[in-house]
């Protein structure tokens, strides 16, 4: 999947590889929906490709697999023995997960080439896991590569950060993302520009048939002060709790517009504080009475002039 906003990053990584400066531990940092995981997969598949050097001479600016060799065939089949992916659905990446990666790295390569391990959302590592990974980072082996992704760089220990080559992934040109999204036949929702810097998030919502739900959240945000029946809003959030952040983002954008239109800064700050408290309670308080919390937020915003 070609992601045009990654072209510059891909060229920089290719240049470092050509110059033999490609670090054994690559850390891809950036918000959700910018293509960190897709890039990590491309890098891993390229490093495993048996024709990578010849292919790069022909391709020039990108680090990309040839797609023809035995190694690429194994990758396409999803069973390359020298590639390991660690993805954790739950809250943390444990020390056993990292020890398994270290064990994987220490064994000989089945295809007599590179071995690559990807750790997605590496900020989820426990302290013990991070310490275990540190040993692997401090004792790099030839032909062994670690590729880590994170949306929360500040949550990583400084010892991990200092031993990785950090690459920031972002959408520098929202117009490129807009054009790319237009090719996916996504309806032109009025709120889409808020997410042009996270285009893969929109693509994910399309795949999960969530776009209409998000549009409903936007409409609730625009009419929130006047609304009294919050049942449809509560139903959407109860079924998809992660969308609470999207709803609060929409409300925050409405407040910014009101500030531009003449809302006093003190009133704006009070409204934002009420919104932040709602978000914090909604994401941290177990068993929160969501209908009551929504009603209280609406009441607080109505009383702010």
């Amino acid at each position: 999947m070609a992601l045009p906003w990654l072209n510059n990053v891909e060229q920089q990584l290719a240049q470092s590889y050509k110059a033999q400066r490609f670090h054994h531990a690559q850390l891809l940092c950036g918000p959700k929906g910018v293509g960190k995981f897709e890039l990590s997969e491309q890098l891993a598949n390229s490093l495993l490709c048996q024709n990578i050097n010849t292919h790069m001479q022909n391709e020039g600016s990108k680090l990309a697999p040839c797609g023809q060799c035995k190694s690429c065939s194994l990758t396409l089949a999803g069973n390359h023995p020298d590639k390991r992916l660690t993805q954790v659905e739950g809250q943390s990446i444990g020390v056993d997960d990292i020890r398994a990666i270290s064990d994987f790295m220490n064994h000989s390569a089945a295809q007599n080439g590179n071995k690559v391990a990807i750790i997605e959302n590496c900020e989820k590592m426990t302290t013990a896991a991070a310490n275990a990974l540190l040993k692997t980072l401090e004792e790099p082996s030839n032909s062994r590569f670690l590729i880590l992704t994170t949306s929360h760089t500040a949550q990583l220990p400084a010892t991990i950060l200092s031993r990785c080559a950090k690459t920031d992934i972002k959408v520098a040109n929202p117009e490129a993302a807009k054009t790319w999204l237009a090719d996916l036949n996504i309806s032109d929702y009025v709120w889409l520009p808020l997410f042009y810097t996270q285009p893969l998030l929109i693509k994910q919502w399309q795949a999960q048939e969530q776009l209409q739900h998000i549009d409903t959240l936007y409409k609730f945000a625009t009419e929130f002060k006047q609304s009294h029946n919050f049942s449809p809003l509560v139903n959407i959030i109860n079924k998809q709790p992660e969308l609470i952040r999207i709803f609060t983002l929409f409300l925050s954008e409405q407040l910014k517009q009101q500030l531009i239109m003449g809302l006093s800064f003190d009133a704006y700050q009070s409204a934002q504080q009420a919104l932040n408290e709602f978000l914090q309670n909604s994401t941290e308080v177990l068993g929160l009475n969501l209908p009551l919390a929504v009603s209280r937020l609406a009441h607080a915003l109505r009383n702010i002039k």
Side-chain angles (χ1 to χ4, degrees), residues 79-256:
N79 56 8
H80 200 300
D82 296 325
K83 178 182 178 182
R84 185 181 185 94
L85 171 61
T86 298
Q87 290 174 304
V88 176
E89 294 295 330
Q91 295 300 311
S92 63
I93 298 173
V95 66
D96 289 340
D97 296 309
I98 301 302
R99 284 173 179 162
I101 291 172
S102 299
D103 185 59
F104 164 78
M105 291 293 211
N106 289 331
H107 282 77
S108 299
Q111 296 299 306
N112 299 317
N114 295 327
K115 297 191 81 170
V116 186
I118 299 172
I119 306 176
E120 189 181 19
N121 298 325
C122 64
E123 76 280 354
K124 291 185 176 183
M125 288 187 295
T126 62
T127 301
N131 289 337
L133 182 66
L134 194 57
K135 185 176 180 182
T136 300
L137 292 173
E138 288 175 336
E139 301 171 2
S141 302
N142 289 333
S143 305
R144 301 293 186 269
F145 296 92
L146 271 171
I147 305 174
L148 300 87
T149 75
T150 182
S151 300
H152 303 283
T153 311
Q155 295 179 18
L156 289 172
T159 48
I160 298 291
L161 289 170
S162 65
R163 288 164 175 80
C164 296
K166 181 172 171 283
T167 301
D168 291 318
I169 311 298
K170 60 184 178 180
V171 178
N173 180 9
E175 284 299 314
K178 179 181 179 180
T179 302
W180 182 80
L181 286 166
D183 292 338
L184 298 178
N185 295 319
I186 292 175
S187 299
D188 192 18
Y189 295 105
V190 67
W191 45 265
L192 274 184
L194 292 172
F195 301 99
Y196 283 161
T197 56
Q198 296 175 279
L200 291 180
L201 199 56
I202 299 173
K203 185 177 185 293
Q204 177 186 324
W205 290 335
Q206 181 193 44
Q208 295 173 346
E209 298 183 347
Q210 289 185 325
L211 289 171
Q212 195 57 51
H213 287 163
I214 292 167
D215 194 50
T216 299
L217 295 184
Y218 179 78
K219 289 172 181 174
F220 259 104
T222 60
E223 303 168 358
F224 194 56
K225 288 185 180 180
Q226 292 77 38
S227 298
H228 294 280
N229 178 16
F230 300 114
S231 296
L233 170 65
V234 170
N235 288 339
I236 290 173
I237 294 173
N238 274 332
K239 291 176 182 176
Q240 299 159 297
E242 71 278 6
L243 294 185
I244 191 74
R245 295 186 182 277
I246 305 302
F247 176 63
T248 52
L249 170 64
F250 288 154
L251 280 175
S252 182
E253 288 298 316
Q254 293 298 314
L255 290 173
K256 289 177 185 176

Side-chain angles (χ1 to χ4, degrees), residues 50-51 66 68-76 80 110-111:
Q50 293 165 336
N51 297 327
C66 73
Q68 305 296 324
C69 66
K70 180 183 178 182
S71 189
C72 284
S73 296
L74 289 168
T75 298
L76 289 169
H80 200 300
Q111 296 299 306

Side-chain angles (χ1 to χ4, degrees), residues 281-293:
N281 291 336
S282 300
T283 54
E284 296 180 7
V285 178
L286 293 175
L288 177 76
N289 186 326
L290 187 58
L292 181 59

